[in-house]
Amino acid sequence: MLIELKNITKDFHTDEVVTKVLHGLSFTIEAGEFVSIMGPSGSGKSTLMHILGMLDRPSTGHYLFNDRDVSKLEDDELAALRNKKIGFVFQSFNLLPRTTVLDNVKLPLLYSNRHDIDYNDQARDVLKSVDLSHRLDYYSNQISGGEKQRVAIARALVNNPDIIFADEPTGNLDSKSGTQVMAILQRLNEAGKTIILVTHETYTSEHAQRIITIRDGHIEKDYQVTQRRLAKDGDLLK
């Protein structure tokens, strides 16, 4: 079991006001799954992703990652585990401005203290996997939105993580670029990566194998996709 949540809650405190966002969520995710977490704005899906991605802690409950209760880890232990095991792709790309595509992708390696690989070679390899070998020396402000998101995916892959979190990865893209990004995520999943996609769009969520629907901090539905969309041509896989 890669991920197991047990009665996870999350509260936010502002002065004397307590806002309850997540209410006792429990589910599991197996290694190699492609799961969409879907819900409207304010449903708690992004909060849930931040907990799953070890960017935030639950208020109560237990989060097991590879059978290890990460809820009890210190901040530096969480950071090390996150950098080694998890890659993130965000709607806003979060690329460094006035920095080359190659250097943006190398960034996680600089924090990894790895000495078993050549950073430039590793970054070139993952950029090749997202069809961006021709953009290595371009600055991030010189490429299109779709290319920026593919750079972000390459950066998420550069440490060879077990799991990729994609938070609204097509939200700032046109339909063609969005389809390219979803095709890459599906291809990564087919190669064995676990993908967790956060989206408010039904169409986008149907590219996954399984959909968990969140509403008002509760799990409304959790089901397998019977007619999965194939990003390469928009068809349904029946």
Side-chain angles (χ1 to χ4, degrees):
M1 192 73 63
L2 180 62
I3 285 174
E4 183 175 7
L5 296 192
K6 299 180 178 180
N7 297 313
I8 292 292
T9 69
K10 182 63 181 179
D11 303 336
F12 290 101
H13 298 256
T14 305
D15 297 326
E16 297 181 0
V17 177
V18 178
T19 303
K20 296 183 179 296
V21 178
L22 300 179
H23 306 272
L25 304 190
S26 298
F27 59 85
T28 61
I29 295 175
E30 300 279 359
E33 279 197 88
F34 190 150
V35 180
S36 284
I37 297 175
M38 192 179 76
S41 178
S43 62
K45 62 184 185 300
S46 291
T47 299
L48 174 58
M49 191 212 74
H50 288 155
I51 291 173
L52 290 171
M54 305 179 201
L55 297 169
D56 200 0
R57 296 177 181 270
S59 298
T60 62
H62 296 279
Y63 173 17
L64 277 64
F65 187 89
N66 279 331
D67 297 322
R68 185 180 186 187
D69 192 343
V70 299
S71 314
K72 299 178 180 179
L73 297 182
E74 300 293 333
D75 287 348
D76 58 341
E77 293 176 303
L78 272 180
L81 184 61
R82 184 170 61 239
N83 192 53
K84 184 177 181 181
K85 298 291 187 180
I86 295 174
F88 294 96
V89 180
F90 296 100
Q91 178 178 349
S92 56
F93 318 130
N94 291 354
L95 301 181
L96 294 177
R98 298 179 299 281
T99 304
T100 66
V101 164
L102 185 66
D103 285 341
N104 265 284
V105 172
K106 281 166 49 181
L107 188 62
L109 294 171
L110 302 178
Y111 293 101
S112 69
N113 294 317
R114 292 182 63 180
H115 304 291
D116 59 323
I117 57 172
D118 181 281
Y119 291 179
N120 283 320
D121 287 349
Q122 181 76 355
R124 288 190 188 100
D125 285 347
V126 294
L127 281 163
K128 182 179 179 180
S129 75
V130 297
D131 303 319
L132 284 176
S133 293
H134 61 300
R135 292 287 192 254
L136 300 183
D137 297 323
Y138 281 64
Y139 290 97
S140 60
N141 62 342
Q142 294 177 313
I143 58 178
S144 68
E147 289 173 330
K148 288 178 182 178
Q149 195 59 288
R150 284 150 61 195
V151 173
I153 292 172
R155 184 183 56 193
L157 289 171
V158 76
N159 266 332
N160 193 28
D162 292 341
I163 184 169
I164 300 290
F165 287 93
D167 188 5
E168 302 279 7
T170 63
N172 285 335
L173 305 179
D174 59 48
S175 58
K176 181 180 178 181
S177 297
T179 296
Q180 290 174 335
V181 166
M182 294 310 301
I184 291 170
L185 292 177
Q186 287 184 331
R187 190 166 73 233
L188 290 170
N189 179 241
E190 289 166 3
K193 296 293 183 190
T194 304
I195 309 292
I196 298 181
L197 169 71
V198 175
T199 182
H200 68 280
E201 297 174 337
T202 301
Y203 178 86
T204 301
S205 71
E206 290 172 348
H207 289 84
Q209 299 161 326
R210 173 184 169 198
I211 298 175
I212 299 173
T213 303
I214 305 292
R215 186 173 295 276
D216 297 329
H218 297 273
I219 295 177
E220 187 177 56
K221 298 177 184 177
D222 184 348
Y223 59 97
Q224 297 294 318
V225 179
T226 57
Q227 292 186 312
R228 188 184 183 194
R229 295 192 180 275
L230 293 178
K232 62 182 180 181
D233 52 18
D235 286 343
L236 290 170
L237 178 63
K238 299 182 181 180

